[in-house]
């Protein structure tokens, strides 16, 4: 006998992209989140959408039955302005990559910051423990991030007597999320941005909690950890601004962290390969970020097997 119950409407969670957004981002986020929604039997779907202003989509939220947004560059600051409530991670970074519709209005969150907090403290602790070749201790460290466990080196007495030299490439929302995640870490931080004024602005914003130095040129500054928080490496993005980045930027035993995903060769990835240092690809960071974002959209924690299947669906790995 057919049920007389009315079907539940499907809520949309959109990936808000600009007209110059990466085609990869069109597919990666929807594939991940829709896998989660299916596994949880939630009547929701994520769809990609190109917009140039947040107002273009928020004014039509009712008609679209829109319950959330995964926001990409360069709309992350606009997302803050559009929100009624701003959660601590978004407030401290000044940007939001997630908007959630609530009875009180739009709520802004930053899951780039949460992913950075999952990843960077574990990496820095393992580096300080001087565990040897990072090619060996990095995989179990990443597995610990994925599972939310303590990583290698967390129980070992710290041996290095000097802080790691860290180079952060970029000054936008993702870069700010990374920087805020290092607030309580003892690091020597240098920040480069395509516009030196933007790097100096970020340095000034961090001054009370994380001293840093703005540099005019990223090339040939040897560091222990290099983090690409620019879009260079995404499909369709001009790689010119990182052309001076090279293998000389890496000290022995260094690590490269790429937040950009998709595409193929890039100056950052090529430099890491030439230096023979392990590279954490952007797909891994995306997986950590998307896990946190999925928890926001679903309103619950996500089981490890469900997250793993979602990661496989979009090629983000575990």
């Amino acid at each position: 006998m057919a049920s007389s119950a009315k079907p539940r409407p499907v809520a949309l969670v959109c990936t808000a992209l600009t007209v110059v957004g990466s085609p990869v981002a069109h597919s990666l986020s929807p594939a991940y989140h829709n896998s989660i929604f299916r596994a949880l039997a939630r009547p929701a779907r994520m769809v990609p959408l190109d917009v140039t202003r947040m107002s273009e989509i928020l004014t039509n939220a009712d008609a679209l039955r829109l319950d959330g947004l995964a926001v990409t560059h360069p709309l992350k600051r606009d997302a803050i302005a559009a929100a009624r409530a701003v959660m601590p991670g978004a407030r401290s970074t000044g940007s939001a990559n997630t908007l959630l519709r609530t009875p009180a209005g739009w709520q802004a969150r930053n899951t780039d910051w949460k992913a950075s907090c999952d990843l960077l403290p574990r990496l820095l602790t393992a580096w300080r423990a001087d565990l040897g070749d990072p090619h060996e201790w990095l995989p179990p460290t990443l597995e610990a991030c994925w599972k939310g466990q303590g990583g290698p080196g967390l129980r070992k007495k710290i041996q290095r007597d000097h802080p790691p030299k860290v180079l952060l490439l970029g000054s936008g929302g993702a870069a700010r999320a990374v920087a805020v995640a290092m607030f309580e870490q003892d690091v020597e931080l240098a920040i480069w941005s395509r516009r030196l004024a933007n790097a100096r602005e970020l340095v000034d914003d961090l001054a009370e909690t994380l001293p840093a130095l703005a540099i005019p040129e990223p090339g040939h500054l040897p560091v222990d950890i290099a983090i690409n928080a620019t879009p260079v490496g995404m499909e369709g993005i001009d790689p010119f601004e990182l052309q001076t980045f090279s293998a000389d930027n890496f000290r022995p035993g260094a690590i490269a962290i790429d937040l950009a995903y998709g595409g193929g060769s890039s100056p950052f990835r090529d430099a890491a390969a030439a230096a023979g240092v392990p590279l954490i690809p952007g797909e891994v960071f995306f997986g950590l970020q998307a896990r946190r974002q999925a928890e926001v959209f679903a309103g619950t924690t996500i089981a490890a097997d469900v997250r793993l299947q979602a990661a496989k669906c979009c090629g983000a790995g575990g």
Side-chain angles (χ1 to χ4, degrees), residues 61-84:
D62 288 335
L64 293 171
R65 299 195 302 272
L66 184 63
D67 283 345
L69 284 169
V71 185
T72 61
H73 173 81
L75 298 177
K76 293 181 179 181
R77 291 198 178 188
D78 293 343
I80 289 279
R84 177 67 63 86

Side-chain angles (χ1 to χ4, degrees), residues 55-139:
S55 59
E56 292 180 7
I57 187 170
L58 295 184
T59 54
N60 295 298
D62 288 335
L64 293 171
R65 299 195 302 272
L66 184 63
D67 283 345
L69 284 169
V71 185
T72 61
H73 173 81
L75 298 177
K76 293 181 179 181
R77 291 198 178 188
D78 293 343
I80 289 279
R84 177 67 63 86
V86 180
M87 301 305 285
R91 183 180 301 110
S92 61
T93 59
S95 67
N97 71 335
T98 307
L99 284 178
L100 181 68
R101 198 174 192 181
T102 73
W106 290 100
Q107 182 187 88
R109 294 174 178 251
N110 192 311
T111 60
D112 287 334
W113 166 71
K114 294 290 288 184
S116 298
C117 290
D118 287 338
L119 176 63
L120 289 173
R122 289 181 173 89
L123 286 181
L124 291 169
T125 300
W127 182 90
R128 292 190 188 96
D130 197 10
L131 300 176
D133 187 349
H135 287 91
E136 296 180 0
W137 58 256
L138 190 55

Side-chain angles (χ1 to χ4, degrees), residues 172-194:
R176 287 175 175 269
V178 169
V180 171
M182 291 191 286
F183 269 8
E184 297 181 355
Q185 300 294 323
D186 181 19
V187 299
E188 293 182 6
L189 178 62
I191 300 175
W192 173 88
S193 179
R194 182 164 56 92

Side-chain angles (χ1 to χ4, degrees), residues 258-312:
D258 196 358
L259 271 58
Y261 51 81
S265 175
S266 76
F268 186 81
R269 297 165 192 162
D270 292 346
V277 304
L279 170 72
I280 300 176
E283 286 80 2
V284 170
F285 187 85
F286 169 83
L288 294 173
Q289 177 276 131
R291 165 197 174 183
R292 296 296 189 174
Q293 199 171 54
E295 291 172 347
V296 173
F297 291 145
T300 185
T301 56
I302 310 297
D305 60 332
V306 174
R307 289 188 278 112
L308 181 58
Q309 180 59 38
K312 289 180 178 178

Side-chain angles (χ1 to χ4, degrees), residues 224-236:
D224 300 299
I225 300 174
I227 306 169
N228 175 35
T230 77
V232 173
M234 301 281 281
E235 187 175 346

